[in-house]
Amino acid sequence: MASTVPAVLADDVPTNVTAQIRNATQPKSSSTVVCYSPMMITANGIWQGVNPLEFSLPLFILQVAVIVVTTRFLVLLLKPFRQPRVIAEILAGVVLGPSLMGQMGFWSTMVFPQRSLLTLETVAHLGLLYFLFLVGLEMDLDVIRRSGKKALFVAVAGMALPFCIGIATSFIFRHQVSRNVHQTSFLLFLGVALSVTAFPVLARILAEIKLLNTELGRIAMSAAIVNDMCAWILLALAIAISEVNNTALSSLWVLLAGVVFVLFCLYVVRPVIWWLIRRIPEGEGVSDMQVSLILTGVMLAGVCTDAIGIHSVFGAFVYGLVIPSGPLGVALIEKLEDFVTGLLLPLFFAISGLRTNVSKIRDPITVGLLVLVFIMASFAKVMGTIIIAALYNMPFREGIALGFLMNTRGLVEMIVLNIGRDKEVLDDESFAVMVLVSVAMTTLVTPVVMGVHRPSRRLVGYRRRNLQRIRHDSELRMLACVHTTRNVPSVLSLLELSNPTKRSPIFIYALHLVELTGRASNMLAAAAASASKQSRSSSSSTLPPVTEHIFNAFENYERHTGGVSIQTLAAVSPYQSMHDDVSVLAEDKHVSLIVVPFHKQQTVDGGMEPINQSIRGFNESLLSTSPCSVAILVDRGLSAAAARMTAEHHVALFFFGGPDDREALAYAWRMVEHPGVNLTVVRFVPPDYRVRSFSNTSYRSAASDTDSRAIAIDAEGKTELQMDEDYLGKFRARNHGNETITYFDRVVANSEETVAAIRSMDTSLHELYIVGRRPGESGSPMTASLEEWMDCPELGPIGDMLASSDFSMTVSVLVVQQYVVAATPADATIAPAGNVDPVRQYVSNANQRPSATYRSAASSTGQNNRWSGGTVGF
């Protein structure tokens, strides 16, 4: 139980502890000191009439739960506004503190009583210690070397100008803003707080607004790393010389001891860590013993710097900085990050909020001048960044966006402000104002950058948006997307079947899709993958294990296969907007085909189980917004080693007609050139096909007139049936005498006969089925019943049936959707189709794609399907 003692005992307690206790909550009598009983840890139960909240452990557990739940609620509340999580964490502390909830007597005496804050603050600082260790691990010093002088000058200008202007402005108004504290120390801490840039917060903002892999994002990240390191050096200096009662000699000893500690970490600790890494057997991970030793070193580093006289988080940060990037760093981040950032770090922000008492803000002159100082410093940082950007011929808008990005505040500033408050160089009023203004500044960063930075879209149309438009023996540009290492073998098998040769080369963009979760580990994937192969191999920076395995597999395939050129990339994005990244990349690289894996994988018994439903949403969104053709690969044995090593490969194409089936035939045509591929073309036709094959009836493709992606009439006014006949005739004429191609015609009157015809084929013979996503005419009896029972509409009726668990266990499926040039009826009547300006056509398509909806084959006939109203909105 807490008890109070007379004020005369206050002299027996260290001054700083007394100050911390007095400042932790609302002001009580200045003549009391709270004492703690070490025996009151766990309760004996409510049935004995004991209140559990009188004991430290139950109370601490309740406080952690309240803080985490409040933080998560505010994260969800601010998510639509695309605000970083640090804003929610700081606001959660303010809400739970004396500014709001603390005004209720029950809350301040039962949930966050004065006696409990020592335990809460101790655990919060332990979490802060490990989080700063993770921040040091995240920082790749090679990024500074790769970024060059531009990022260095941006960092220096973005730090020196606000530091100088902040100190100058504060000095002018020193009698108003620093009346109750030591003025020199106040100016120094205020200058550091005004000049810092929060590197962890900035990384997450850049990833959220899709600038992480852009030139602007790379400059901002590199400058933030330099800024962060300079901020820690300045903070160490500020702490050393800010002790009011210190002599000059003691401050000098603190600085010298800090330099010795940094040198010890660089030249003793780092070689020891390298020795540990070299002892890890090849192919094995980091052992638990090694992880335990390294994590113990974090606490030892914190103890050393705390004993020196610098804050303990400085030691943890330097210790994390000297650990080499690579598998060890990624493994440590994976093990620690969720627990530290999800559970322990919110406690520190809650402590900051509990210390932020808005009711202490009473003097409007002091508040106004502090806000003015903050605005002047922020303006100086923006102006300094704009000047450097102008010197390097960067656009003015990018300079403004970079300046606001460098104004990102967060954890580092909170640490500076808390240390300044503990050292009694910031009073309660200054502390509260600075916390609130920092939150307001960081809140502005995302909307301002999104409003100012508008990358110009290159309106350069390219004609090779589908396979039918290019020759089967010309260069093919593909974008192969993979989510996990399991997707890689099947994609490589498909590439091998595509017959890459020097005469018909294939250029592959291998894209590893990483979900943005706010974790630092997938930030590393994007940062490392954005570098070229040469810079990755020449630097000590190493990719995360999954990304590295994927990249190595594609690069090994490139080395051992002729006619293939592969560029490996990584995209970090939320699944809800990942299709936008893929579409923009495909357009920038002039890709003709995007290959994505199916969201289900095969089980041991041959069934199909979903991996991640978010992947399904990504596939559906990509189908509706893609700037080129898309193929979904259902792996049911194509990735097996036996299938890849066999000399002969058997592929079957099911042709019903329409743009998608012609695109599937165009892809199969490229495969035929492979000496080991045997192709079976099965054409399904209705009983009255010959009667109406060349009549201008309503026989259309599944792409209805409402589909902004497709048009049914080509330049010569041909119907879809005529275009099918022309393309099939061309294919057969060019491959006349090729014994590896077999043709079949199947006359089917309804869906039951279609299923029976496909089931009658020898499934043990074929490795791959190729089908169009929307086969034949809209509402055709050949597929109408299948459309009504589709489980996965993104595969279409035939693809959905072939990929179902009860159909076949051994045959993989490739479902192809063709990108067909769209045109409005007005355009078709005004100008001859043969004279359409490709750039104007491209602009028209670009304007239509964001609002495009995708309709299933049954939508134009009013039949029910699994998509509400026949439309999926993304």
Side-chain angles (χ1 to χ4, degrees):
M1 293 285 286
S3 60
T4 57
V5 294
V8 294
L9 295 181
D11 295 334
D12 299 331
V13 185
T15 306
N16 58 339
V17 176
T18 306
Q20 289 182 13
I21 296 170
R22 185 175 66 250
N23 294 335
T25 58
Q26 292 182 347
K28 295 182 182 294
S29 174
S30 59
S31 62
T32 60
V33 173
V34 178
C35 300
Y36 300 86
S37 172
M39 305 303 294
M40 306 292 284
I41 298 174
T42 57
N44 297 322
I46 58 175
W47 309 115
Q48 297 186 15
V50 178
N51 182 4
L53 298 183
E54 295 289 340
F55 297 80
S56 60
L57 183 60
L59 182 59
F60 172 73
I61 293 172
L62 176 65
Q63 289 171 341
V64 172
V66 168
I67 291 169
V68 172
V69 169
T70 306
T71 301
R72 288 297 168 183
F73 174 74
L74 288 175
V75 167
L76 292 176
L77 205 62
L78 296 175
K79 191 173 183 180
F81 304 100
R82 308 183 80 168
Q83 293 297 326
R85 192 171 69 181
V86 66
I87 299 295
E89 290 170 334
I90 296 174
L91 289 179
V94 174
V95 168
L96 297 175
S99 300
L100 193 62
M101 299 293 292
Q103 297 294 327
M104 298 185 294
F106 168 80
W107 188 266
S108 59
T109 57
M110 297 299 294
V111 183
F112 287 97
Q114 188 178 3
R115 68 178 185 277
S116 69
L117 297 182
L118 182 63
T119 304
L120 187 64
E121 194 165 351
T122 302
V123 179
H125 277 82
L126 181 65
L128 183 64
L129 201 73
Y130 277 102
F131 181 77
L132 266 297
F133 168 69
L134 292 177
V135 171
L137 278 177
E138 285 182 50
M139 287 191 179
D140 182 8
L141 299 183
D142 290 314
V143 172
I144 302 173
R145 180 169 52 81
R146 290 198 299 263
S147 59
K149 295 181 180 179
K150 187 190 298 185
L152 184 62
F153 287 148
V154 168
V156 172
M159 193 161 194
L161 282 177
F163 186 83
C164 296
I165 290 182
I167 286 183
T169 313
S170 302
F171 182 76
I172 295 172
F173 302 112
R174 62 188 181 278
H175 297 298
Q176 286 79 24
V177 299
S178 56
R179 290 174 299 182
N180 304 321
V181 296
H182 191 267
Q183 290 183 1
T184 305
S185 303
F186 173 82
L187 296 178
L188 195 57
F189 266 90
L190 195 62
V192 175
L194 291 172
S195 58
V196 297
T197 298
F199 163 74
V201 181
L202 178 64
R204 284 153 181 81
I205 288 178
L206 290 172
E208 178 68 27
I209 60 180
K210 302 186 183 303
L211 292 178
L212 192 63
N213 286 328
T214 63
E215 180 66 19
L216 179 66
R218 281 189 284 269
I219 294 172
M221 286 283 284
S222 304
I225 290 177
V226 177
N227 188 298
D228 232 14
M229 296 183 64
C230 293
W232 285 110
I233 296 171
L234 285 176
L235 179 59
L237 291 171
I239 293 173
I241 65 178
S242 66
E243 293 291 348
V244 179
N245 300 322
N246 269 11
T247 63
L249 186 62
S250 62
S251 296
L252 180 63
W253 279 117
V254 170
L255 290 176
L256 290 176
V259 172
V260 170
F261 173 78
V262 173
L263 294 176
F264 178 82
C265 288
L266 284 172
Y267 295 105
V268 178
V269 175
R270 189 176 176 89
V272 170
I273 299 297
W274 271 116
W275 177 77
L276 280 176
I277 292 174
R278 285 192 290 268
R279 287 177 58 88
I280 299 174
E282 187 176 354
E284 294 187 12
V286 186
S287 67
D288 292 340
M289 175 64 73
Q290 292 167 331
V291 172
S292 301
L293 288 174
I294 293 171
L295 296 185
T296 304
V298 178
M299 292 181 280
L300 292 176
V303 169
C304 289
T305 50
D306 201 84
I308 288 170
I310 308 174
H311 201 280
S312 57
V313 296
F314 180 78
F317 173 75
V318 174
Y319 182 74
L321 203 61
V322 300
I323 291 182
S325 302
L328 176 62
V330 174
L332 290 170
I333 291 175
E334 290 284 349
K335 290 178 181 294
L336 281 178
E337 190 171 22
D338 287 336
F339 180 70
V340 172
T341 60
L343 194 65
L344 297 183
L345 190 62
L347 302 184
F348 173 76
F349 288 109
I351 289 293
S352 300
L354 290 170
R355 292 176 163 197
T356 304
N357 193 347
V358 179
S359 62
K360 291 288 186 72
I361 304 176
R362 296 190 179 95
D363 188 355
I365 297 177
T366 302
V367 173
L369 290 175
L370 276 174
V371 173
L372 175 64
V373 169
F374 191 94
I375 292 174
M376 289 288 292
S378 301
F379 178 75
K381 180 170 284 195
V382 174
M383 289 305 299
T385 308
I386 290 175
I387 293 171
I388 299 299
L391 291 176
Y392 281 93
N393 297 321
M394 291 176 63
F396 180 71
R397 283 178 172 270
E398 286 198 5
I400 295 177
L402 187 58
F404 272 90
L405 287 171
M406 297 305 293
N407 266 309
T408 303
R409 317 285 171 161
L411 180 69
V412 181
E413 187 174 19
M414 289 297 106
I415 294 172
V416 173
L417 295 176
N418 275 281
I419 293 175
R421 191 176 183 281
D422 290 340
K423 300 289 184 183
E424 297 183 343
V425 297
L426 292 176
D427 57 8
D428 291 343
E429 191 172 30
S430 302
F431 179 84
V433 171
M434 292 299 294
V435 168
L436 295 178
V437 177
S438 299
V439 170
M441 184 67 227
T442 307
T443 304
L444 287 175
V445 171
T446 301
V448 169
V449 172
M450 290 181 66
V452 171
H453 180 69
R454 296 173 183 172
S456 56
R457 190 167 186 171
R458 296 184 301 169
L459 297 178
V460 181
Y462 67 100
R463 299 183 62 84
R464 297 184 172 189
R465 292 177 180 269
N466 58 46
L467 300 179
Q468 193 179 345
R469 280 180 172 265
I470 62 177
R471 289 172 52 88
H472 64 279
D473 56 353
S474 62
E475 181 193 53
L476 172 63
R477 301 173 76 88
M478 290 176 58
L479 176 60
C481 302
V482 294
H483 299 276
T484 64
T485 52
R486 183 164 182 164
N487 303 142
V488 176
S490 58
V491 172
L492 292 180
S493 298
L494 182 65
L495 297 181
E496 181 62 30
L497 291 176
S498 304
N499 188 39
T501 62
K502 292 183 178 179
R503 188 171 65 91
S504 58
I506 300 180
F507 197 98
I508 307 296
Y509 296 95
L511 182 64
H512 180 208
L513 300 175
V514 183
E515 182 183 11
L516 175 62
T517 58
R519 295 174 62 96
S521 48
N522 62 21
M523 301 291 176
L524 295 177
S530 62
S532 63
K533 295 180 187 178
Q534 291 78 13
S535 61
R536 287 203 305 264
S537 60
S538 62
S539 69
S540 60
S541 175
T542 307
L543 293 164
V546 175
T547 307
E548 185 178 17
H549 292 160
I550 291 172
F551 284 11
N552 287 340
F554 279 103
E555 289 165 3
N556 287 335
Y557 177 76
E558 179 186 17
R559 282 194 294 268
H560 295 94
T561 307
V564 173
S565 180
I566 296 180
Q567 181 180 348
T568 50
L569 303 163
V572 181
S573 178
Y575 273 120
Q576 290 79 8
S577 59
M578 192 177 283
H579 62 280
D580 290 333
D581 292 346
V582 176
S583 297
V584 169
L585 179 63
E587 205 153 34
D588 288 343
K589 304 299 184 182
H590 290 196
V591 168
S592 300
L593 180 68
I594 302 174
V595 178
V596 294
F598 190 44
H599 73 278
K600 292 183 181 180
Q601 65 183 11
Q602 191 171 24
T603 58
V604 178
D605 60 354
M608 299 294 288
E609 64 176 9
I611 310 169
N612 187 346
Q613 286 297 332
S614 299
I615 297 177
R616 178 178 183 176
F618 159 73
N619 290 345
E620 292 175 340
S621 300
L622 185 63
L623 287 170
S624 65
T625 60
S626 170
C628 60
S629 296
V630 180
I632 299 178
L633 179 60
V634 183
D635 179 22
R636 308 191 73 175
L638 191 64
S639 60
R644 286 183 283 139
M645 297 300 293
T646 184
E648 285 194 355
H649 305 277
H650 294 271
V651 179
L653 169 72
F654 299 144
F655 192 92
F656 290 81
D660 294 348
D661 281 27
R662 291 197 299 274
E663 189 75 356
L665 180 59
Y667 194 64
W669 195 339
R670 181 172 287 270
M671 290 183 176
V672 167
E673 303 293 327
H674 192 291
V677 170
N678 294 282
L679 176 65
T680 301
V681 179
V682 184
R683 186 176 188 191
F684 295 84
V685 294
D688 58 345
Y689 167 71
R690 289 300 173 188
V691 176
R692 56 176 196 156
S693 60
F694 292 101
S695 62
N696 289 319
T697 63
S698 60
Y699 184 64
R700 300 178 302 164
S701 73
S704 64
D705 294 337
T706 58
D707 187 354
S708 63
R709 187 187 65 88
I711 182 170
I713 306 299
D714 75 346
E716 300 177 1
K718 294 181 180 179
T719 64
E720 289 289 347
L721 276 175
Q722 289 171 327
M723 287 190 282
D724 292 342
E725 288 291 340
D726 288 349
Y727 199 65
L728 275 171
K730 182 179 178 182
F731 173 77
R732 298 186 70 161
R734 294 286 181 87
N735 293 282
H736 181 70
N738 190 341
E739 296 181 355
T740 61
I741 303 177
T742 307
Y743 301 93
F744 290 106
D745 282 342
R746 290 286 186 267
V747 179
V748 291
N750 50 49
S751 300
E752 289 75 12
E753 293 183 7
T754 301
V755 174
I758 295 176
R759 285 188 179 276
S760 65
M761 297 184 63
D762 186 2
T763 56
S764 62
L765 180 65
H766 297 99
E767 300 169 22
L768 179 68
Y769 289 148
I770 305 178
V771 299
R773 180 176 178 265
R774 302 183 302 180
E777 65 177 334
S778 176
S780 168
M782 293 189 294
T783 57
S785 297
L786 295 175
E787 291 168 2
E788 296 178 5
W789 297 97
M790 283 191 295
D791 183 49
C792 299
E794 68 271 20
L795 297 181
I798 303 300
D800 179 72
M801 178 190 68
L802 295 175
S804 62
S805 299
D806 58 348
F807 188 79
S808 173
M809 298 183 184
T810 58
V811 184
S812 300
V813 183
L814 184 70
V815 181
V816 182
Q817 172 184 283
Q818 183 184 61
Y819 178 88
V820 184
V821 177
T824 61
D827 294 335
T829 57
I830 292 173
N835 298 324
V836 175
D837 182 3
V839 175
R840 182 180 299 174
Q841 181 65 63
Y842 173 81
V843 175
S844 174
N845 294 345
N847 291 333
Q848 289 182 23
R849 270 199 309 279
S851 60
T853 55
Y854 208 91
R855 293 183 178 271
S856 68
S859 63
S860 60
T861 59
Q863 296 183 11
N864 292 328
N865 53 62
R866 292 178 179 268
W867 292 351
S868 175
T871 304
V872 178
F874 301 100

